[in-house]
């Protein structure tokens, strides 16, 4: 059927009649001008894609009537303009695509129909680790090791880039996905197939929201949902409420964008924005650069929103020119946005749309701060850091507690490093990393760190040699302006040499600590500290030996590295003394905002961006030399420990299977609140005593060859064993942290995977008890696939028990502790029959005779359809095969 809104299509420029757009201003509907700008993007996509099949006219009306419908839990479709992936999540996506081609062929269809329809970019940035640091050749050595460890994965990805159309690979060594997206990939306005329309994106990384800072609506989704979008399916979403976040005033001179975003993160956590859009407005927005806005948008997952949108304004347009985009295309972008009412003037309050709710922040009230020691939302003013850490030492084990006995708070362990004697104590800094696109994309904080390093070196300050310092820029542009401005040599003198272009420490690729440091931490049971300019500091994520991890701006990372401890009050205590015995305080070396802006204006120029990005796809000679197969169907290597044909589609038929009753089930794990995707499916190191390690050892690998869980996401056998393998997992069935549980029939305490295997062999289905915010954190497909494989028979994956590779959610108002105590050791039965409404009530019965009610939850009709099919990918295979 033709588009019912074709009457509002017109050329943007009469001189180019083939370049058209849907002119939303010609809807002549007063409701449009009152819509939040983020909702206008959803509306345009619905109108442009309206076919009365995937997108219906009533969907357009629901979005246009947002002010009323936002409260009615109404489902709307959204077709993003493009998809972006990083390699940790990109490899399993390409594995799924390869397996889907095999499945379609087995069902008699054309395997080449499995091909991205929506443009997709895959940036390889998650594989490099900090194995070498504090040396001039760290970058080259780390990159060499990256290729040595990941050659097989990289060859597979190169095969995918050739076998699948519409998929571009950005090779390793290019930068961090979200910074490359911001500086290079983002269009702001698409010019494709004869139409102009707003750029929008979904990505297989939760921090895809960073691009919202440029006015490109985007957010993170699971790998499975991203694959469906790549195959031309719309995202089905509940029409979101939009919280208006009004920014007022100007930041103080010593405040960085990192301080602002950590303040906003805590504030919005308190407001409660889970599942909502946040849209920024007010005169304070005009005081923020695009890099500042991108920093704020980047941490959207940490404050729980779906998107954190800054509409496009003149500063956005200027940024496109600054970063070397084609000026003619930029002017066309501006013309389009003006025509459809999507160009914002933040100083003009008459443009302010309607919002669900408005909250405010006066930027002048923001103070320098960090966040931690275990969660991004736990903001701590720098002036309170010493007191806060010492309080956490003795507090009960939890997000703000380590439960260290009072008589051990001042424990000291002596150790030797490279022939010199040192001491470690609680609060000692052992990792200091300038890392993550959150901050490395922002010239003001990066140049601020460089200027602080210059002043520190000139003042005679140093960093203790055992502290693992590192600098991992988000793109080559950062290295360019740090070098040209003359500050790189000072960063190197403090140990902050460039170690790689990738996420590195922020995702747990921090590499090993010196053995003597680890021994000292272990001997004293010390709460050692990592300080990083990242966006995540969940337990066990950064490094197994840093129990406390604080997020901080790049200048503060250097400051704490120089201090060597977080138990310091910068206002009263010196960072150190120089050769003449003079005390040097932080205020003595902290650069002013004017100093930073002067250097930024001089050295961050368009030519840098053009020079770096025009050769980004060809500059890596190691990538160019890779030999990848050219077949359209992938030839699986049974000896591979990285890439394995997954069992998800084994036995798949064109006919739907009947859901099974769950009977005689046991509780595998019992959790409290805030069990993140890092707990469910860790990305970091594979512990030598873990089920995954035992599997890899059985395949002939040594511990040095294990690599990380993230790098092995193309192998389901490793990832199933890595599910719930986080060393900081807190399972209420055992009284200590660790990836273990109780196998109730035998009473044994086992690794989670081993217990699940025992239950499966005995024919017992499994359930997990969890509190609120289960699954918060990174959009991670293996946080869904892993539990699916744990509770399913490997050889007989029944379609009815799981939808979209995630467990059917049974929600209940019962007290979790009461449920855990009641269900401990008891088997459970419930009938999961399908009904057409979204919230069927289910009665769960224990073998003790006790029963309770829970809701089998499906949020949308599409989700229910996927459940019928056994998941999104099964649905797509049946569709393509038939």
């Amino acid at each position: 059927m033709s588009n019912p809104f074709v009457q509002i299509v017109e050329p943007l420029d009469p001189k180019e009649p083939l370049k058209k757009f849907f002119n939303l201003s010609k809807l002549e509907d007063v409701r449009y001008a009152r819509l939040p700008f983020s909702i206008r993007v959803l509306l345009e996509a619905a109108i442009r894609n309206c076919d009365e099949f995937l997108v219906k006219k009533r969907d357009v009306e629901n979005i246009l009537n947002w002010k009323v419908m936002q409260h009615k839990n109404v489902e709307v479709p959204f077709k993003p303009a493009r998809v972006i992936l990083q390699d940790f999540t990109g490899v399993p996506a390409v594995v799924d695509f390869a397996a889907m081609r095999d499945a379609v062929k087995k069902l008699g269809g054309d395997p080449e129909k499995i091909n991205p329809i929506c443009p997709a970019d895959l940036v390889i940035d998650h594989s490099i680790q900090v194995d070498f640091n504090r040396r001039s050749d760290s970058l080259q050595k780390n990159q060499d090791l990256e290729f040595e460890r990941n050659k097989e994965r990289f060859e597979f990805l190169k095969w995918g880039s050739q076998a699948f159309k519409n998929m571009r690979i950005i090779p390793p060594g290019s930068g961090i996905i979200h910074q490359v997206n911001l500086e290079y990939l983002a269009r702001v306005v698409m010019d494709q197939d004869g139409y102009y329309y707003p750029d929008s994106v979904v990505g297989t990384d939760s921090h895809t929201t960073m691009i919202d800072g440029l006015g490109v609506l985007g957010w993170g989704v699971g790998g499975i949902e991203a694959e469906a979008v790549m195959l031309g399916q719309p995202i089905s979403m509940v029409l979101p409420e939009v919280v208006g976040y009004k920014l007022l005033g100007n930041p103080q001179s010593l405040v960085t964008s990192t301080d602002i975003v950590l303040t906003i993160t805590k504030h919005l956590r308190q407001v409660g924005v889970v599942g909502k859009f946040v849209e920024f407005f007010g005169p304070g927005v005009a005081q923020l650069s695009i890099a500042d806005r991108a920093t704020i948008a980047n941490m959207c997952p940490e404050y729980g929103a779906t998107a954190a949108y800054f509409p496009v304004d003149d500063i956005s347009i200027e940024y496109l020119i600054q970063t070397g985009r084609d000026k003619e295309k930029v002017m066309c972008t501006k013309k389009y946005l003006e025509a459809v009412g999507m160009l914002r003037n933040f100083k003009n309050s008459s443009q302010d749309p309607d919002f669900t709710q408005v909250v405010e922040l006066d930027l002048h009230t923001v103070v320098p701060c960090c966040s931690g020691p275990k969660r991004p939302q736990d903001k701590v003013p720098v002036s309170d850091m010493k007191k806060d850490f010492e309080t956490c030492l003795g507090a009960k084990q939890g997000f703000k507690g380590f439960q260290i006995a009072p008589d051990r708070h001042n424990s000291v362990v002596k150790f030797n490093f490279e022939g010199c004697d040192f001491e470690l104590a609680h609060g000692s800094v052992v990792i200091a990393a300038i890392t993550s696109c959150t901050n490395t994309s922002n010239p003001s904080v990066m140049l601020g760190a460089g200027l602080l390093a210059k002043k520190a070196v000139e003042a005679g300050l140093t960093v203790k040699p055992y502290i693992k310092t590192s600098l991992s820029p988000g793109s080559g542009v950062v290295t360019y302006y740090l070098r040209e401005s003359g500050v790189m040599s000072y960063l190197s003198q403090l140990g902050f040499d460039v170690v790689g272009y990738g996420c590195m420490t922020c995702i747990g690729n921090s590499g090993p600590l010196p053995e003597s440091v680890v021994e000292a931490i272990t001997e004293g049971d010390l709460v050692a500290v990592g300080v990083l300019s990242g966006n995540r500091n969940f337990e066990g994520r950064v490094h197994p030996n840093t129990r406390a991890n604080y997020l901080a701006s790049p200048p503060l990372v250097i400051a704490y590295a120089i201090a060597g401890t977080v138990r310091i009050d910068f206002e009263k205590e010196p960072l150190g003394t120089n050769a003449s015995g003079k005390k040097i305080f932080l205020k003595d070396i902290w650069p002013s905002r004017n100093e930073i802006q002067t250097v930024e204006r001089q050295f961050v120029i368009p030519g840098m961006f053009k020079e770096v990005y025009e050769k980004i796809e060809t500059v890596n000679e190691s990538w160019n030399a890779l030999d990848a197969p050219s077949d359209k169907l992938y030839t699986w290597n049974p000896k591979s420990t990285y890439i394995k044909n997954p069992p998800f589609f084994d036995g798949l038929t064109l006919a739907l299977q009947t859901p099974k009753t769950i009977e005689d089930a046991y509780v595998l794990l019992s959790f409290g609140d805030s069990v993140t995707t890092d707990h469910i499916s860790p990305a970091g190191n594979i512990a030598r005593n873990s089920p995954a390690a035992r599997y890899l050892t059985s395949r002939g690998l040594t511990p040095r060859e294990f690599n990380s869980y993230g790098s092995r996401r193309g192998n389901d056998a490793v990832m199933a064993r890595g599910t719930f393998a986080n060393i900081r997992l807190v399972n209420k069935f055992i009284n200590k942290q660790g990836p273990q549980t109780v196998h109730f029939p035998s009473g044994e305490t086992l690794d989670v995977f081993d217990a699940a295997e025992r239950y499966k062999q005995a024919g017992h289905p499994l359930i997990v008890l969890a509190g609120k915010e289960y699954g918060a954190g990174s959009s991670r497909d293996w946080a869904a696939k892993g539990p699916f494989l744990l509770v399913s028979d490997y050889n007989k994956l029944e379609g009815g028990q799981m939808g979209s590779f995630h467990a059917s959610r049974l929600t209940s108002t019962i007290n979790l502790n009461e449920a855990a105590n009641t269900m401990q050791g008891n088997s459970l039965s419930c009938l999961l029959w399908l009904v057409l409404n979204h919230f069927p009530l289910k009665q769960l019965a224990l073998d003790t005779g006790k029963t309770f009610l829970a809701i089998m939850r499906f949020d949308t009709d599409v989700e229910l359809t996927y459940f019928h099919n056994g998941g999104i990918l099964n649905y797509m295979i049946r569709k393509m095969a038939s």
Side-chain angles (χ1 to χ4, degrees), residues 28-36 40 61 64-66 354:
E28 297 180 351
D29 193 313
V30 294
R31 293 175 295 179
Y32 178 68
R34 303 306 308 158
L35 289 178
R40 297 180 199 187
E61 172 57 28
L64 194 54
N65 198 29
W66 170 85
D354 294 327

Side-chain angles (χ1 to χ4, degrees), residues 353-376:
D354 294 327
F355 292 111
T356 309
Q357 169 188 6
V358 171
V359 292
E360 295 184 358
L361 174 68
D362 183 348
L363 293 172
H364 193 70
T365 64
V366 177
V367 298
C369 57
C370 300
S371 278
K374 301 181 185 182
R375 296 191 303 181

Side-chain angles (χ1 to χ4, degrees), residues 13 34 113 303 474 735 798 862:
D13 185 343
R34 303 306 308 158
K113 284 187 177 180
Y303 41 87
N735 58 4
E798 299 296 345
V862 171

Side-chain angles (χ1 to χ4, degrees), residues 98-110:
M100 289 172 74
R101 279 193 170 180
D102 290 346
V104 168
K105 184 179 180 181
K106 287 178 183 176
L107 292 176
D110 178 4

